[in-house]
């Protein structure tokens, strides 16, 4: 056996799951049905990372079952909600005032209120980018230099200039935010995300861009031109419409009730005829908990549920359990639905 083959054999042994990991897999598959990982896609990532040439693939093909098991360990029974970044954070942090750079390069207080958010900026130039970020269980309220107001949801980031110049006002968002754009017919306000973009003159709308699957823009007031990221083609939204991405990357327009989006801006969870999966996904993200469905049918239930966002998590769970056919419990860093 040559050295190259020996190294591969050693790597295969290292990748083999331990007895503890195997038990985690077994318990996970008992809790929920999840799609198998895309082995070809995982193989392509490994090739790129380790610089493996295609001619070695016949030797690595025996590793496919082990690679699939390793991939399952990371994602098999969790909903599409990232792991908590904090420990047992059940309520949001206190509100703090944050200074932001003025056009002169000196620090100057703005009409900006952030709830547990962090900002990063540099004052070495006249126009500097400002980064406002929130983590789980945190939100932010800020007013930009042009008078535009922004409500930034948890696990979100907004990048904007310390002062708008030129013919347009452009910001970049990841996560979710509600915008009240200051009217300026000569300087359109542009929100860019990895999935959708919106161009407005002055209006109220909500932008969601956590993932490609849930990316959407909801118009509350005014008019918005919406297009997919990187595309010159745009469609006009009128109040009460939502723009979403389709499977082929085009933009689909549908009617939507805007009331829940306004209520969320005001500090409420407001779900109307939404699936338990979507409800728990939002609650899990806000409180920094992983959500596990022990009963797959429970995730499909559609409910009307309203609550203040800043209540302790155990109060939210208590309210959910008052509803028919719902059984929710807290288990360490998990919310278990069965």
């Amino acid at each position: 056996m040559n050295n190259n083959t020996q190294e591969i054999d050693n790597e295969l042994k290292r990748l083999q799951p331990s007895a503890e990991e195997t038990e985690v897999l077994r318990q996970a598959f008992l809790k929920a049905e999840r799609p198998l990982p895309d082995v070809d896609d995982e193989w392509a990532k490994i090739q790129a990372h380790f610089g493996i040439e295609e001619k070695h693939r016949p030797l690595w093909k025996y590793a496919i079952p082990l690679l699939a098991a390793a991939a399952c360990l990371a994602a098999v029974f969790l909903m599409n909600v990232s792991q908590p970044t904090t420990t047992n954070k059940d309520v949001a942090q206190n509100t703090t005032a944050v200074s932001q750079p003025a056009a002169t390069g000196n620090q100057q207080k703005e009409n900006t209120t952030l709830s547990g958010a962090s900002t990063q900026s540099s004052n070495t130039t006249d126009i500097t980018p400002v980064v406002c970020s929130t983590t789980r269980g945190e939100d932010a309220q800020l007013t930009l230099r042009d008078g535009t107001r922004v409500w930034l949801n948890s696990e979100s980031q907004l990048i904007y200039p310390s002062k708008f110049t030129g013919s347009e006002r452009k910001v970049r968002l990841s996560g979710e935010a509600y915008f009240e754009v200051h009217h300026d017919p000569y300087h359109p306000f542009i929100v860019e995300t990895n999935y959708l973009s919106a161009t407005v003159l002055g209006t109220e709308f909500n932008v969601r861009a956590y993932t490609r699957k849930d990316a959407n823009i909801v118009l509350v007031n005014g008019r918005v031109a919406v297009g997919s990221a990187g595309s010159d083609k745009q469609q006009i939204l009128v109040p009460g419409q939502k723009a979403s991405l389709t499977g082929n990357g085009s933009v689909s327009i549908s009617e939507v009730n805007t009331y829940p989006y306004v209520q969320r801006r005001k500090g409420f969870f407001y779900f109307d005829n939404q699936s338990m999966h979507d409800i728990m996904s939002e609650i899990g993200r806000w409180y920094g908990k992983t959500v596990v469905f022990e009963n797959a049918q429970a995730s499909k239930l559609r409910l009307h549920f309203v609550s203040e966002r800043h209540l302790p998590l155990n109060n939210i769970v208590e309210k959910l359990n008052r509803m028919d056919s719902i059984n929710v419990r807290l288990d360490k860093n998990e919310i278990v639905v069965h």
Side-chain angles (χ1 to χ4, degrees), residues 278-334:
D278 291 343
I279 293 172
M280 297 310 300
S281 176
E282 185 73 18
I283 292 174
R285 176 182 287 114
W286 178 251
Y287 287 100
K289 305 293 183 181
T290 297
V291 179
V292 179
F293 279 95
E294 291 186 335
N295 179 359
Q297 293 301 315
S299 66
K300 301 175 183 178
L301 291 174
R302 305 193 72 85
L303 305 172
H304 179 89
F305 180 72
V306 181
S307 179
E308 295 180 52
R309 281 159 60 97
H310 292 279
L311 288 177
L313 178 55
N314 62 318
N315 288 13
I316 301 295
V317 171
E318 181 180 347
K319 285 189 173 185
L320 286 168
N321 282 327
R322 292 174 189 168
M323 308 181 75
D324 293 337
S325 305
I326 299 297
N327 192 336
V328 182
R329 73 172 189 272
L330 292 178
D331 185 6
K332 296 181 180 179
N333 283 329
E334 293 181 344

Side-chain angles (χ1 to χ4, degrees), residues 63-321:
I64 289 177
L66 296 178
L67 293 175
C72 286
L73 283 174
V76 61
F77 66 97
L78 306 181
M79 293 174 54
N80 190 18
V81 178
S82 59
Q83 289 288 348
T85 56
T86 57
T87 302
N88 293 327
K89 180 182 290 183
D90 289 350
V91 294
Q93 298 181 6
N94 293 329
T95 299
T96 57
V98 176
S99 297
Q100 300 192 20
T104 61
N106 298 320
Q107 291 287 349
Q108 175 180 324
K109 287 249 181 157
E110 299 249 357
N111 182 20
T112 302
T113 304
L114 304 181
S115 303
S118 63
T119 60
Q120 300 175 6
S121 63
S122 170
N123 59 357
T124 58
T125 60
D126 287 344
I127 306 302
T128 56
V130 181
V131 180
C132 178
S133 302
T134 58
T135 60
R136 283 189 166 193
E138 300 172 343
D139 56 13
Q141 300 176 29
L142 57 155
T143 301
L144 308 186
R145 275 295 180 85
D146 67 332
T148 294
R149 302 174 68 190
V150 184
W151 287 260
L152 196 63
N153 205 351
S154 60
E155 288 192 308
S156 301
Q157 182 183 86
L158 184 71
I159 303 175
Y160 58 97
S162 58
K163 179 182 179 181
F164 291 112
T165 61
S167 60
E168 60 188 22
R169 299 168 289 167
K170 184 180 293 186
V171 301
R172 184 161 188 85
L173 171 72
S174 61
E176 185 172 18
Y178 187 100
F179 293 84
E180 278 188 5
V181 176
H182 177 72
H183 182 72
D184 184 346
Y186 304 106
H187 301 88
F189 190 94
I190 301 172
V191 180
E192 293 183 336
T193 75
N194 287 338
Y195 315 106
L196 295 167
S197 66
T199 303
V200 303
L201 298 177
T203 187
E204 292 184 41
F205 60 101
N206 191 85
V207 181
R208 187 178 181 92
Y210 286 111
T211 66
R212 179 182 179 85
K213 184 178 179 180
D214 71 359
N216 64 72
I217 296 174
V218 174
L219 181 60
V220 177
N221 287 312
R223 285 163 61 88
V224 173
V226 176
S228 57
S231 173
D232 294 331
K233 184 179 179 181
Q234 293 187 318
Q235 300 184 61
I236 301 297
L237 291 186
V238 298
Q241 288 187 330
K242 177 172 74 172
S244 306
L245 277 181
T246 64
N248 61 11
S250 61
V251 177
S252 173
I253 307 298
S254 60
E255 302 297 319
V256 68
N257 179 13
T258 62
Y259 187 74
Y261 298 91
V262 176
Q263 292 304 301
R264 185 161 53 205
R265 185 203 70 184
K266 294 180 178 179
F268 291 89
F269 290 117
Y270 192 100
F271 304 100
D272 186 37
N273 193 32
Q274 288 187 248
S275 70
M276 191 65 174
H277 180 281
D278 291 343
I279 293 172
M280 297 310 300
S281 176
E282 185 73 18
I283 292 174
R285 176 182 287 114
W286 178 251
Y287 287 100
K289 305 293 183 181
T290 297
V291 179
V292 179
F293 279 95
E294 291 186 335
N295 179 359
Q297 293 301 315
S299 66
K300 301 175 183 178
L301 291 174
R302 305 193 72 85
L303 305 172
H304 179 89
F305 180 72
V306 181
S307 179
E308 295 180 52
R309 281 159 60 97
H310 292 279
L311 288 177
L313 178 55
N314 62 318
N315 288 13
I316 301 295
V317 171
E318 181 180 347
K319 285 189 173 185
L320 286 168
N321 282 327

Side-chain angles (χ1 to χ4, degrees), residues 47-59:
Q47 279 185 303
H49 182 74
F50 291 103
I52 302 169
E53 298 180 4
E54 186 64 24
K55 64 183 180 180
H56 292 157
R57 182 164 184 168
L59 293 174

